[in-house]
Amino acid sequence: MSSERVRVAILDDYQNVAFKFADWSSIKDRLQIDTFPDTTNDEDILAKRLEPYAIICAMRERTKFRASLLDRLPNLRFIATTGPYNAGIDVAYAKTKGVVVSGTGGKGNSTLEHIWALLLATVRYITVEDARVKAGAVPWQVTIPFGLSGRTLGLVGVGRLGTATGRIAKAFGMEVIGWSPNLTPERAEATGVTFIATKEELFRRSDVLSVQMVLSERTRHLITGADLALLKPTAFFINTSRGPLVDEEALIEVLREKRIAGAGLDVFDEEPLPLNHSIRQLSNVTLSPHTGYVSDSNYEAFWGHTVENIAAFLDGRPTRVID
């Protein structure tokens, strides 16, 4: 590439840590870097903002690079995304435009840790009591935590994360059952999870239901209002995967009417969650801002590999290319 500095846009770095978790010194003199920590879903704004850039650093799926946007970015040559794949990028179409897409590895078990942090905070009402103690509220205790020993954890999805989630549940003395569209009795047995033949039975039997599925057109709204209606009034619903796996409006209705005990949510249909969104007004949810994959160790891998990927692209030998 020429000696002229290459224009780079870093998108959606909410915590402004791209330069904290990686050493950019080896390439900084070759680049002109701008950062845009505010996410927008408006394609017209994105096209105008990103038009000058040859390289874009994308944080997971926060900004979507569909074919229609790629068509409006004539200078784009390289997308450095974090994570090994990115469902928000039309990689096949990018390739037809001559745009290379590279991903990164990860480090640690951030998502698994977050599943259990959110689950435990939800069933033990940690955030409720934290707020009360800090506010000087009386009486001293008001909630009754939900004990896990002897209860049933239902897994929607029994892949790597679901299997690991189930192992931890057993340490708490829980029974672990699972279902997914492709789960077989043999695969369930190999993971130590009791196979459930139907989604309906899984929802009826679960005391805590946790979602560990990949979002695709086939799994969008996999969990419907009819499914949620089958949960016990004492049940808790946990989603750390993707918001659109669930009919969000149906979930809001179930929670607003207190037809289940509560929910722990890290993911939403629209992110960042609008300030006036009705989910923010519910009293029986524990919320986190899609930080399931976020940790210092994971960011070290994300941003460290991003710098390596940009350097390799500038040198004409792209690495970690996503096909």
Side-chain angles (χ1 to χ4, degrees):
M1 302 192 69
S2 73
S3 59
E4 182 180 351
R5 288 186 180 232
V6 178
R7 297 200 66 180
V8 177
I10 297 177
L11 305 187
D12 308 322
D13 179 13
Y14 297 154
Q15 297 109 328
N16 292 299
V17 292
F19 303 108
K20 174 182 177 181
F21 284 102
D23 181 1
W24 293 71
S25 61
S26 63
I27 57 174
K28 68 178 182 179
D29 291 340
R30 305 166 72 182
L31 308 174
Q32 179 183 334
I33 304 174
D34 297 306
T35 61
F36 300 96
D38 58 314
T39 298
T40 177
N41 296 314
D42 188 313
E43 189 173 291
D44 290 334
I45 294 175
L46 282 169
K48 183 176 180 181
R49 173 184 289 179
L50 301 178
E51 188 273 336
Y53 296 96
I55 297 175
I56 293 174
C57 300
M59 174 53 75
R60 303 301 297 121
E61 299 159 17
R62 293 173 181 175
T63 294
K64 307 295 189 292
F65 289 87
R66 302 182 178 92
S68 56
L69 177 59
L70 293 169
D71 279 338
R72 301 172 70 178
L73 302 177
N75 296 301
L76 183 61
R77 296 293 176 265
F78 182 56
I79 300 176
T81 185
T82 53
Y85 63 90
N86 188 326
I89 300 174
D90 190 334
V91 175
Y93 191 73
K95 191 173 183 178
T96 70
K97 305 283 290 184
V99 176
V100 178
V101 182
S102 286
T104 72
K107 185 179 178 183
N109 291 298
S110 179
T111 304
L112 178 62
E113 293 164 6
H114 197 82
I115 288 169
W116 278 98
L118 186 61
L119 191 159
L120 289 169
T122 301
V123 303
R124 297 199 64 82
Y125 302 101
I126 297 295
T127 57
V128 174
E129 294 294 14
D130 173 76
R132 293 187 70 261
V133 171
K134 289 175 178 175
V138 292
W140 176 235
Q141 300 175 1
V142 293
T143 62
I144 301 176
F146 185 77
L148 296 181
S149 180
R151 273 16 196 283
T152 299
L153 174 67
L155 301 172
V156 178
V158 191
R160 180 183 61 84
L161 266 179
T163 300
T165 301
R167 289 197 195 104
I168 294 171
K170 289 183 178 181
F172 286 108
M174 300 187 78
E175 178 188 4
V176 183
I177 62 177
W179 171 90
S180 79
N182 300 313
L183 185 65
T184 64
E186 294 76 20
R187 286 176 59 196
E189 183 178 10
T191 62
V193 172
T194 299
F195 174 76
I196 300 298
T198 68
K199 181 173 48 165
E200 291 75 15
E201 183 183 357
L202 184 86
F203 275 71
R204 288 192 187 97
R205 288 181 55 178
S206 297
D207 293 303
V208 180
L209 189 129
S210 182
V211 183
Q212 285 84 215
M213 291 287 296
V214 174
L215 177 64
S216 67
E217 285 307 311
R218 190 169 65 92
T219 60
R220 185 175 296 272
H221 283 195
L222 176 69
I223 298 172
T224 67
D227 297 323
L228 296 168
L230 298 174
L231 289 169
K232 303 172 185 178
T234 54
F236 292 87
F237 179 86
I238 309 295
N239 188 9
T240 55
S241 293
R242 289 295 183 272
L245 289 166
V246 186
D247 182 339
E248 189 171 84
E249 287 304 315
L251 177 60
I252 290 170
E253 181 181 352
V254 165
L255 290 165
R256 184 182 290 129
E257 296 180 0
K258 294 184 168 51
R259 285 190 262 141
I260 62 174
L265 306 175
D266 186 50
V267 289
F268 312 92
D269 278 2
E270 183 180 351
E271 298 177 9
L273 193 66
L275 295 178
N276 62 349
H277 200 287
S278 55
I279 284 180
R280 293 179 182 264
Q281 313 306 318
L282 297 171
S283 61
N284 51 351
V285 293
T286 302
L287 306 176
S288 55
H290 201 160
T291 49
Y293 63 90
V294 178
S295 71
D296 56 349
S297 52
N298 214 20
Y299 271 7
E300 287 172 0
F302 278 4
W303 290 114
H305 290 173
T306 293
V307 171
E308 293 174 5
N309 291 345
I310 293 173
F313 176 76
L314 293 174
D315 291 340
R317 45 179 178 79
T319 188
R320 300 189 184 95
V321 175
I322 301 173
D323 293 318

